[in-house]
Amino acid sequence: MVRAVRAHPHPHPHRPGFRVEADWSHAEADVTQHRDVAHIALSGAGDLAAAAVQVCRFLSLDVDARGWPDVAHRDERRLEAEIAER
């Protein structure tokens, strides 16, 4: 679930500015990370809920990548490369 909140200052945020696809308004996001959680605070006059979904998408926060290491372990080409190196 994504919840849009208004921006608040943080010492070192990533601050992308962008057009919200839903209504073409301008929005800015303050993106910070605390441990394994990303915090996104938005400012703008448009649809901030749509902006929050868009930020998650362009930062790939909408993808649970915990399974990617297993994909690499099952990759036959990677295994072939490791065997060839030995």
Side-chain angles (χ1 to χ4, degrees):
M1 174 173 183
V2 175
R3 192 181 87 195
V5 296
R6 294 284 172 191
H8 58 84
H10 186 277
H12 304 288
H14 174 61
R15 287 198 172 106
F18 58 97
R19 292 285 177 188
V20 180
E21 295 168 346
D23 60 10
W24 288 103
S25 63
H26 181 265
E28 291 185 3
D30 287 347
V31 183
T32 57
Q33 182 177 348
H34 180 68
R35 297 190 177 137
D36 62 348
V37 176
H39 298 270
I40 303 168
L42 297 157
S43 60
D47 185 344
L48 294 182
V53 171
Q54 188 173 333
V55 169
C56 289
R57 192 176 69 244
F58 71 65
L59 294 177
S60 298
L61 299 176
D62 59 340
V63 177
D64 180 358
R66 288 178 286 190
W68 280 111
D70 292 334
V71 171
H73 290 296
R74 294 190 309 264
D75 184 343
E76 291 181 20
R77 298 221 189 269
R78 184 193 63 84
L79 294 173
E80 290 170 2
E82 281 185 14
I83 292 169
E85 286 179 8
R86 292 181 187 165

